[in-house]
Amino acid sequence: MFGLPQSTELRKVVHKKLIFAKFPGELNGDRKKRFDNDISRIGIVNEISPSSVNIKEGESIKSIFVVQIELKTKNYDERNVLLISKLFGQQMLIILKYEEEYQLAVYQTKLLYSDWKSNSEMELHLNGLDLDSMWLNMVEQVSGIIPKNGNSLDEQIAVEVEKAKLMKQIDEMETQARKETQSKKKFDMFQRMKEYQKLLEKL
């Protein structure tokens, strides 16, 4: 799938009761019901490791699981995907499948996503000298976040998060300013928008 080597393929079902047992505090009552309503099926479909591909272990990463989640709805709760990403205590590439569309997700300081695409449009390249560098490359492919200005990947992710936050504040402020009838309040809002814009340009 998505160009991953056949040697990495697995077929292991992950039963939802395993996840309910591992995260009883997070998945109870309505949360458990929402998890069940969001997710149809979970399976480990690939394992990328020195035994399945020609690559060395990394200092911190010994293997990467690829887990496919079949969704009942496209409007899923991100918290459910976050729990699954922490299930095995190691790096995991998550394939979210809804009908005939796919979205990729990885956890690297936060959950990062690709756009929704068809099977034929989705492709992954296993690049790296070892599993540590391969994982970072995989995160870049999924998220589209590329380190700049000497930043590490984690530092660049933090920058992108801050950019998104500022852009949201600018959009919200602009919407409020359009509705505001008092000229002084409108002026103050535009001044704040300029401040947000300056902060955005510095990032």
Side-chain angles (χ1 to χ4, degrees):
M1 181 178 280
F2 307 152
L4 294 176
Q6 190 174 357
S7 58
T8 67
E9 291 179 4
L10 293 176
R11 290 185 182 273
K12 291 185 179 179
V13 176
V14 179
H15 296 285
K16 285 191 273 188
K17 63 183 180 182
L18 170 66
I19 299 171
F20 296 151
K22 188 170 179 67
F23 302 108
E26 293 88 342
L27 292 173
N28 55 51
D30 288 342
R31 279 294 315 279
K32 183 176 180 179
K33 184 179 178 181
R34 181 61 192 266
F35 187 98
D36 204 40
N37 289 341
D38 278 0
I39 294 169
S40 173
R41 193 167 181 271
I42 307 165
I44 304 172
V45 293
N46 301 82
E47 183 180 9
I48 302 165
S49 66
S51 61
S52 63
V53 292
N54 184 25
I55 191 168
K56 298 184 297 183
E57 286 186 353
E59 288 187 16
S60 59
I61 301 176
K62 309 307 177 187
S63 65
I64 299 168
F65 283 143
V66 181
V67 173
Q68 180 166 300
I69 302 172
E70 294 184 16
L71 298 167
K72 297 178 183 178
T73 173
K74 206 171 181 179
N75 185 30
Y76 59 84
D77 188 334
E78 184 181 275
R79 292 176 297 174
N80 294 331
V81 179
L82 183 60
L83 283 181
I84 294 171
S85 76
K86 296 178 178 179
L87 183 61
F88 302 112
Q90 65 185 75
Q91 272 67 19
M92 187 186 299
L93 170 68
I94 295 174
I95 301 170
L96 297 158
K97 182 179 185 290
Y98 178 69
E99 295 182 351
E100 298 305 316
E101 289 187 281
Y102 296 85
Q103 183 183 47
L104 302 180
V106 289
Y107 184 85
Q108 182 72 17
T109 72
K110 69 185 298 291
L111 268 178
L112 303 167
Y113 297 92
S114 72
D115 295 329
W116 286 95
K117 295 180 181 179
S118 67
N119 190 6
S120 60
E121 293 173 313
M122 199 70 80
E123 190 174 9
L124 272 172
H125 301 282
L126 300 183
N127 299 324
L129 298 175
D130 57 24
L131 282 172
D132 285 353
S133 58
M134 180 179 284
W135 170 254
L136 295 179
N137 185 274
M138 196 175 288
V139 172
E140 291 177 13
Q141 288 183 67
V142 171
S143 67
I145 296 173
I146 308 298
K148 301 173 185 174
N149 304 321
N151 289 337
S152 67
L153 180 57
D154 287 353
E155 288 168 341
Q156 192 64 42
I157 290 169
V159 168
E160 298 302 326
V161 168
E162 186 62 24
K163 280 183 179 179
K165 181 180 174 182
L166 285 168
M167 288 171 71
K168 183 179 179 182
Q169 289 175 319
I170 290 168
D171 288 343
E172 289 175 350
M173 192 64 63
E174 188 174 14
T175 301
Q176 290 177 27
R178 284 194 190 123
K179 296 177 181 177
E180 183 56 57
T181 56
Q182 294 185 28
S183 57
K184 187 179 184 305
K185 285 186 178 179
K186 189 184 285 283
F187 176 78
D188 289 342
M189 288 177 181
F190 277 114
Q191 290 303 111
R192 270 187 282 172
M193 282 170 57
K194 285 182 180 179
E195 290 173 8
Y196 293 152
Q197 192 64 47
K198 285 179 182 176
L199 289 173
L200 188 60
E201 289 169 1
K202 288 179 181 178
L203 292 175

